[in-house]
Amino acid sequence: NNPDLTDAQKEVRAENTFLLALDGDVDFQPEAIIKVVDLMKRNPSVGAACGRIHPTGGGYMQWYQKFEYAIGHWLQKATEHMMGCVLCSPGCFSLFRAKAVMADNVMRTYTTVANQPKHFVQYDQGEDRWLC
């Protein structure tokens, strides 16, 4: 918290500061981050974006991962778009806008104790799904 910054300067910094979340075993190309940052810079209302992961290797585990990731991106993300509510931005490769994560309503929403059935799906999927 820099007291020398004006409110406008703080706003610009929060708008243009991004947090990258990666799994430890993700081997990514720098162009992937550039594409996701460019997407978020083109649309300031986007608070988080995730990249699509392509498992490498072979065998049954890799086949299962490909299936699981395909379902997550093709089915779940399309459903979330239609609902207007993102249930999860996976930590394996996600970029978050600092302004979105710092917003009072986001912190208040995702620290709420689930007390309705839909809250368990929306806010309480497990520790790797929490935004805070």
Side-chain angles (χ1 to χ4, degrees), residues 10 13-15 97-107:
K10 290 178 185 177
R13 281 197 179 179
E15 186 73 36
R97 187 183 306 274
K99 180 179 177 181
V101 176
M102 295 183 318
D104 285 340
N105 65 332
V106 170
M107 296 305 291

Side-chain angles (χ1 to χ4, degrees), residues 16-88:
N16 294 294
T17 299
F18 301 97
L19 308 166
L20 179 64
L22 294 171
D23 278 353
D25 61 348
V26 171
D27 181 21
F28 63 91
Q29 300 299 315
E31 299 86 38
I33 293 176
I34 292 169
K35 287 180 180 180
V36 176
V37 169
D38 285 347
L39 167 80
M40 293 183 73
K41 285 202 164 272
R42 282 194 311 265
N43 190 344
S45 66
V46 173
C50 59
R52 181 158 178 231
I53 301 298
H54 299 278
T56 59
Y60 294 114
M61 183 57 77
Q62 188 253 0
W63 295 345
Y64 173 76
Q65 283 182 309
K66 278 189 173 186
F67 174 76
E68 181 183 27
Y69 293 168
I71 294 296
H73 281 275
W74 297 330
L75 180 62
Q76 183 179 350
K77 295 300 171 203
T79 303
E80 290 174 352
H81 176 73
M82 295 304 294
M83 290 173 46
C85 175
V86 175
L87 300 175
C88 171

Side-chain angles (χ1 to χ4, degrees), residues 1-17 99 102:
N1 206 359
N2 188 341
D4 297 330
L5 294 176
T6 66
D7 287 341
Q9 289 171 317
K10 290 178 185 177
E11 181 77 17
V12 168
R13 281 197 179 179
E15 186 73 36
N16 294 294
T17 299
K99 180 179 177 181
M102 295 183 318

